[in-house]
Amino acid sequence: MNWEVVIGLEIHAQLSTKSKLFSGAAVGFGAEPNTQTTLVDLGMPGALPVFNKEALRMAVMFGHAVNAEIGMTSIFARKNYFYPDLPKGYQTSQMDDPIVGKGALDITLEDGTVRRIGITRAHLEEDAGKSLHEDFQGMTGIDLNRSSTPLLEIVSEPDIRSAKEAVAYVKMIHSIVTYLGICDGNMAEGSMRCDINLSLRPKGQSEYGTRTEIKNVNSFRFIEKAIYTEIERQADILEDGGKIVQETRLYDPDKNETRSMRSKEDANDYRYFPCPDLLPVELTEEYVEAIRQNLPELPTQKAARFIEQYKLSDYDAGVLSASRSMADYFETLVNKTKDAKLSANWVMGELSKLLNQSQLEIVNSPVSADSFAELLIRIQDNTINGKTAKDVLQSMWDGEGSADEIIEKKGLVQVTDTAAIEAMVQSVIDANSAQVEQFRASEPDKQKKMIGFFMGQVMKASQGKANPGLVTPILQKLLQG
Ligand code: ADP
Ligand code: MG
């Protein structure tokens, strides 16, 4: 059977405020349990919440970034449910009047197609505490440090049609919130988590099928894998004539399967009502406009500028602008080397390879952009060739010193003395007379292919230090005899 996949995502982004959404307690990851709490976060009766203005500013920034309607009057509501890590018995959230209304986001897929994904809304809400099961025998520990941490919940329309589109969408949201500086984007620490709503319908049918919701998936890779397994599970059920149960599921990365957590509750199960402790949030046009004026450059704008200013390809500009830290690294290189193509090639090539191998983010690169630029400048001034530069970079990566120190210490300065190169080429020709004879008897087309062999021999003889630009003409001259 031919199924169409329908996906809508709810992304929780933890806002990078210094203090909590409704109290002055510090926000931070990894502190001793229950040390970052006030009476408000502990849910003490009579303790009154005070709304964090910085969280408001961040939410409005996000709204502008996705061209959304800004809720000029937004209202906090109580979402009532019982759970040990929620001492108040309700989560303060927004229901009917969120801070951010309808917007949209364009995502670019690997093949270059652009898809527009609708944003339904984004609302502010507080996080709950955490239940700790591991260190306790027959008991559960409660840590309320996370309680009242500010979250922006970003809800998409069911416009996503594949796992790849879902990942591209989440990456774009990640890129936007980190560019705006409103979320650190650290998915491993839970700063960004994603709920995946997924249903199938026969191709061509207009009504949506029954969906399931997979909660709290916290990496791009797991989002993709969770979607594939859930599609398979739902298709199996439907093809056997069964029905999908609307429920909340959990993705288990170790078994690569989703499991039922609980049946789906409806909004009215939560008995939402406006929070009497918090006034409606009224915004002025001036306030909203001032935030718009001060927005930083966003990923798509940066990519467009890279294409225009540095003549990069669409693809290169897209990769280099995907994260703000990578874009900054690249631009530091360009400022120092004045060569965008060279800088782009090295960031996307060798540097990305080394980062991947050591599973590091660019902000944690052991080689800073300034030190990297010194290396590229040594390629530009012909001190070393590109091949040697790769070895030098590896040594820099391993902490052996700066580019110049390593070039000096290892004697890697490129040979640019034509007489010395001519001598090396001559010795290669003498040592390979059979190949030389074959070369001289060949058509020009064939010769072009064969020259690589001789080039390789000369580079080997020079221990990689010959300047390839100087070797080529000499090699051609001497090979012709
Ligand atoms: P709830 O508040 O119960 O989670 P919503 O109606 O607000 O439900 O939808 C939450 C998310 O589910 C949205 O991202 C929406 O796009 C998505 N969604 C709704 N219906 C479907 C469906 N049939 N298939 C897939 N996703 C859906
Ligand atoms: Mg939901």
Side-chain angles (χ1 to χ4, degrees):
M1 184 103 190
N2 225 345
W3 299 105
E4 181 175 49
V5 187
V6 174
I7 299 170
L9 298 177
E10 293 161 279
I11 296 176
H12 287 90
Q14 186 185 314
L15 297 175
S16 318
T17 53
K18 293 202 178 73
S19 57
K20 294 191 173 171
L21 188 55
F22 298 118
S23 87
V27 171
F29 183 79
E32 275 291 297
N34 300 311
T35 56
Q36 296 185 332
T37 49
T38 63
L39 296 177
V40 175
D41 319 305
L42 295 171
M44 291 298 145
L48 288 174
V50 179
F51 179 38
N52 185 332
K53 257 194 188 163
E54 190 57 8
L56 173 66
R57 194 182 64 86
M58 291 175 166
V60 174
M61 282 175 90
F62 177 79
H64 285 319
V66 295
N67 290 315
E69 295 160 18
I70 304 296
M72 299 306 282
T73 302
S74 63
I75 291 176
F76 285 106
R78 292 185 177 181
K79 178 178 180 180
N80 299 283
Y81 67 94
F82 173 79
Y83 209 74
D85 63 21
L86 188 76
K88 291 189 299 183
Y90 60 85
Q91 177 192 29
T92 307
S93 180
Q94 297 187 312
M95 178 65 184
D96 291 332
D97 301 283
I99 180 68
V100 175
K102 275 199 184 315
L105 192 63
D106 286 340
I107 55 169
T108 308
L109 305 177
E110 268 164 37
D111 66 2
T113 21
V114 175
R115 290 261 293 116
R116 175 155 295 184
I117 309 298
I119 306 256
T120 315
R121 56 189 274 145
H123 60 258
L124 283 165
E125 64 183 26
E126 59 180 351
D127 209 343
K130 250 185 207 164
S131 299
L132 308 172
H133 305 288
E134 262 153 37
D135 299 330
F136 302 93
Q137 271 274 299
M139 286 185 284
T140 294
I142 301 292
D143 176 9
L144 294 172
N145 282 351
R146 205 178 62 182
S147 149
S148 191
T149 294
L151 302 175
L152 186 67
E153 177 172 342
I154 305 157
V155 183
S156 88
E157 291 289 304
D159 288 347
I160 298 164
R161 292 290 173 271
S162 70
K164 295 269 186 236
E165 284 184 21
V167 172
Y169 170 82
V170 182
K171 282 191 171 164
M172 196 63 195
I173 294 280
H174 185 268
S175 178
I176 288 173
V177 295
T178 51
Y179 262 70
L180 293 173
I182 63 172
C183 172
D184 68 22
N186 190 330
M187 295 180 82
E189 287 179 4
S191 302
M192 226 181 98
R193 334 191 264 272
C194 182
D195 300 344
I196 304 162
N197 296 271
L198 187 150
S199 63
L200 299 182
R201 62 180 171 187
K203 274 227 164 84
Q205 175 182 307
S206 58
E207 308 91 82
Y208 293 134
T210 303
R211 71 179 144 127
T212 58
E213 176 171 7
I214 310 165
K215 279 277 180 202
N216 282 336
V217 188
N218 69 350
S219 82
F220 298 126
R221 203 163 59 89
F222 290 165
I223 291 171
E224 188 169 351
K225 292 179 79 176
I227 290 175
Y228 285 130
T229 49
E230 182 61 11
I231 291 173
E232 214 169 291
R233 191 189 68 88
Q234 290 192 13
D236 282 349
I237 294 173
L238 294 170
E239 277 159 28
D240 287 345
K243 279 209 166 76
I244 303 301
V245 181
Q246 183 168 340
E247 63 185 357
T248 302
R249 300 181 69 85
L250 193 82
Y251 175 66
D252 177 348
D254 294 329
K255 295 189 178 146
N256 191 34
E257 64 178 26
T258 66
R259 278 198 300 274
S260 178
M261 252 170 95
R262 56 171 189 256
S263 68
K264 174 79 188 160
E265 51 294 279
D266 280 324
N268 55 16
D269 295 331
Y270 289 115
R271 297 290 187 267
Y272 278 96
F273 66 90
C275 180
D277 289 343
L278 288 155
L279 290 169
V281 183
E282 307 262 8
L283 306 184
T284 62
E285 286 294 342
E286 295 76 54
Y287 173 83
V288 171
E289 193 47 35
I291 293 176
R292 188 202 302 278
Q293 295 299 331
N294 287 310
L295 281 190
E297 187 178 41
L298 289 166
T300 39
Q301 295 165 331
K302 204 182 279 282
R305 179 168 64 79
F306 280 4
I307 293 167
E308 163 83 20
Q309 186 177 347
Y310 302 129
K311 311 288 171 244
L312 295 184
S313 69
D314 288 9
Y315 179 79
D316 290 4
V319 172
L320 291 170
S321 62
S323 95
R324 183 164 160 182
S325 35
M326 181 169 300
D328 290 346
Y329 197 105
F330 163 70
E331 284 206 286
T332 304
L333 293 186
V334 181
N335 285 334
K336 302 214 162 185
T337 64
K338 312 287 175 221
D339 186 339
K341 189 69 198 147
L342 179 77
S343 306
N345 287 346
W346 279 83
V347 172
M348 293 170 60
E350 266 338 90
L351 178 66
S352 298
K353 193 173 97 190
L354 289 168
L355 289 169
N356 277 343
Q357 277 169 4
S358 15
Q359 304 212 344
L360 285 176
E361 295 296 325
I362 199 159
V363 282
N364 302 318
S365 166
V367 178
S368 71
D370 287 326
S371 326
F372 205 122
E374 289 169 17
L375 174 67
L376 297 187
I377 288 167
R378 291 294 164 259
I379 302 176
Q380 291 178 305
D381 67 13
N382 277 324
T383 305
I384 52 173
N385 61 36
K387 190 179 167 309
T388 306
K390 285 187 189 175
D391 299 335
V392 176
L393 177 61
Q394 181 68 59
S395 302
M396 291 166 76
W397 194 266
D398 297 337
E400 293 173 31
S402 70
D404 282 344
E405 285 164 3
I406 292 162
I407 292 168
E408 163 80 37
K409 200 160 51 188
K410 301 197 172 173
L412 299 173
V413 174
Q414 169 162 252
V415 180
T416 51
D417 170 355
T418 34
I421 292 179
E422 239 183 272
M424 277 188 260
V425 173
Q426 192 58 56
S427 67
V428 165
I429 286 181
D430 295 343
N432 296 283
S433 48
Q435 284 88 340
V436 174
E437 244 173 73
Q438 201 191 344
F439 179 91
R440 288 179 179 159
S442 299
E443 301 283 319
D445 267 5
K446 189 104 190 288
Q447 285 187 345
K448 262 191 209 152
K449 285 181 195 147
M450 293 171 75
I451 206 147
F453 163 76
F454 295 103
M455 190 76 190
Q457 295 297 310
V458 175
M459 292 311 283
K460 206 162 144 190
S462 75
Q463 292 165 316
K465 290 191 287 188
N467 177 327
L470 295 175
V471 174
T472 310
I474 295 174
L475 192 54
Q476 260 154 355
K477 189 181 78 187
L478 297 186
L479 272 176
Q480 299 304 340

